[in-house]
Amino acid sequence: MTRLPASIRESVELHASAAGLGSHIESVQPVAGGCINHGCRVLLDGDSSLFVKWNPRAPAGMFESEADGLGALRGAAVDTGAKLAVPTALAHGRTAEGAWLALEYLPPGRSAPSTDVSLGRALALIHGAASESTFGWHRDNWIGTLPQSNTPHPDWATFWRDRRIRPQLDAVRQRDLCTDPVFDRVSLAIPNMDRPACLLHGDLWSGNAFVTSGGTPALIDPAVYRGDGEVDLAMTQLFGGFGSGFYDAYAEVRGIDPGYHAFRRDLYQLYYLLVHVSLFGHSYEAQARAAAGRVAATLS
C-alpha cells in the first residue's frame, strides 16, 4: 500500500472535512505514473475519491502554480465548449513532510482512436480562443522541477529567446553541456514571429493526457502560460504517443501554418530538449544539438 506521510494525511483530512467530502481517509491506493512527485488515490468515508500528490522537496509555490494552471485550462474548456476533462484543484498545503495537492479524481478509461480526435479538437478550440496581446503569465511556474519564468512580454520572439531558450542554455552550460556554437546561432537568429498569444498546457507529452472512464480526454500536470499554440503541438511530437487523428482534428479546427514544419517545431522542441538535458544530463545533448542545427540551417 502507498504510504501517505502522516502529517500530509492529517492535513488532507482536515481540508476534506471542511469541504464536506469526508472526515477520514479509509484507504490509499497507488496510482501508476509520475517521476517527480508521489501520487495516490485517496478514498474518504464520505464516499469521495481524491487524487493526492506530494513532494518532500517541492519548492514554495510549485503546487499553487499547478492548481492555478489547472483552473485556467478548466475555465478555457468551459468557455470554448471544448470536450475536455481537467481535474479541479481542491486544496493544497505544506507540512513538515512536504508540500501536497489534492485534486478531483478522474477515473481512467480505455483509449480509442476517437480519443485522439476529441483531444485534437479540444486543444484547437482552446488555442483558438486567443485574446491577449502579451505573452507569458501572471506568475512563474515550473517545467518538471525547473523554474519557468513567465514575465510578460509583447513580442513572442523575444519571449521565446529570453524566457525559454537562453535560461535553459545558461543552466546546462554551467555543467559544461551544450557548448556547441550552434546553440548561440539559434539564439541570435530567432526571427520576428507574428503569432497569437494562446493559452498553452505547456508540458503536453503523452503522460499528461489520458481518457476518463466516460471517454472524455483529460489533461493534467500543466505548466501554463500564453504563447504560440504550436508549442503544445511541438511537444506532442517530440516523444510521440499521439495518433494521426489528433493532428488531423487539430488542423481541421484551427489549421497548422507552414512555418511550423519549416522551423518552429524544431525551435520549440529545442526548449524541451534543453529541459531534458538539464534534468537528465548528456543523453539528450545530441538530440538538442541536432534540433538546433536544423533551425540554424533553415534561418541562416
Side-chain angles (χ1 to χ4, degrees):
M1 178 179 290
T2 298
R3 179 187 175 274
L4 186 63
S7 62
I8 294 178
R9 183 185 184 108
E10 180 180 356
S11 188
V12 170
E13 286 180 333
L14 286 172
H15 282 80
S17 180
L21 299 173
S23 59
H24 177 69
I25 293 176
E26 295 282 355
S27 65
V28 176
Q29 300 175 351
V31 175
C35 59
I36 294 174
N37 304 302
H38 305 289
C40 63
R41 180 187 180 188
V42 166
L43 282 74
L44 297 160
D45 58 349
D47 245 0
S48 298
S49 289
L50 307 177
F51 176 75
V52 177
K53 59 195 303 185
W54 72 96
N55 189 322
R57 293 177 294 278
M62 187 174 82
F63 285 143
E64 290 89 337
S65 69
E66 181 175 340
D68 173 61
L70 288 168
L73 284 174
R74 187 179 178 89
V78 171
D79 290 344
T80 61
K83 294 181 179 179
L84 180 70
V86 180
T88 300
L90 301 170
H92 55 77
R94 180 179 289 273
T95 74
E97 294 176 280
W100 61 270
L101 173 65
L103 306 173
E104 169 192 10
Y105 178 71
L106 299 178
R110 186 180 297 274
S111 184
S114 59
T115 304
D116 280 331
V117 173
S118 296
L119 180 57
R121 287 174 179 162
L123 188 67
L125 287 172
I126 290 174
H127 287 171
S131 61
E132 300 293 326
S133 58
T134 58
F135 302 92
W137 197 238
H138 62 266
R139 65 183 298 160
D140 295 339
N141 49 28
W142 279 261
I143 179 76
T145 57
L146 304 178
Q148 180 172 258
S149 172
N150 293 322
T151 303
H153 197 284
D155 179 70
W156 173 238
T158 301
F159 180 92
W160 193 253
R161 182 190 67 222
D162 294 348
R163 307 283 188 269
R164 293 295 178 263
I165 299 298
R166 283 183 174 172
Q168 289 302 326
L169 187 57
D170 290 345
V172 298
R173 281 182 166 175
Q174 290 179 10
R175 296 158 56 193
D176 202 32
L177 297 168
C178 297
T179 58
D180 193 302
V182 70
F183 294 101
D184 301 292
R185 293 202 297 274
V186 168
S187 181
L188 293 171
I190 296 176
N192 292 329
M193 297 184 288
D194 185 15
R195 308 298 298 161
C198 308
L199 179 66
L200 304 182
H201 176 280
D203 191 13
L204 193 49
W205 68 290
S206 60
N208 287 341
F210 68 100
V211 61
T212 68
S213 58
T216 303
L219 294 180
I220 55 173
D221 294 349
V224 305
Y225 61 99
R226 290 195 174 274
D228 183 358
E230 293 174 352
V231 172
D232 278 344
L233 289 184
M235 183 55 169
T236 66
Q237 292 189 295
L238 183 56
F239 300 117
F242 297 81
S244 60
F246 170 84
Y247 302 100
D248 292 342
Y250 185 97
E252 181 180 348
V253 174
R254 191 164 184 263
I256 300 176
D257 186 88
Y260 171 69
H261 297 288
F263 77 94
R264 287 196 299 268
R265 176 172 54 189
D266 283 316
L267 178 62
Y268 297 157
Q269 288 180 348
L270 178 58
Y271 170 61
Y272 293 107
L273 288 167
L274 289 172
V275 164
H276 277 70
V277 172
S278 187
L279 290 173
F280 305 112
H282 73 276
S283 60
Y284 285 94
E285 189 173 10
Q287 197 173 350
R289 185 168 56 249
R294 289 191 296 270
V295 175
T298 302
L299 296 180
S300 61

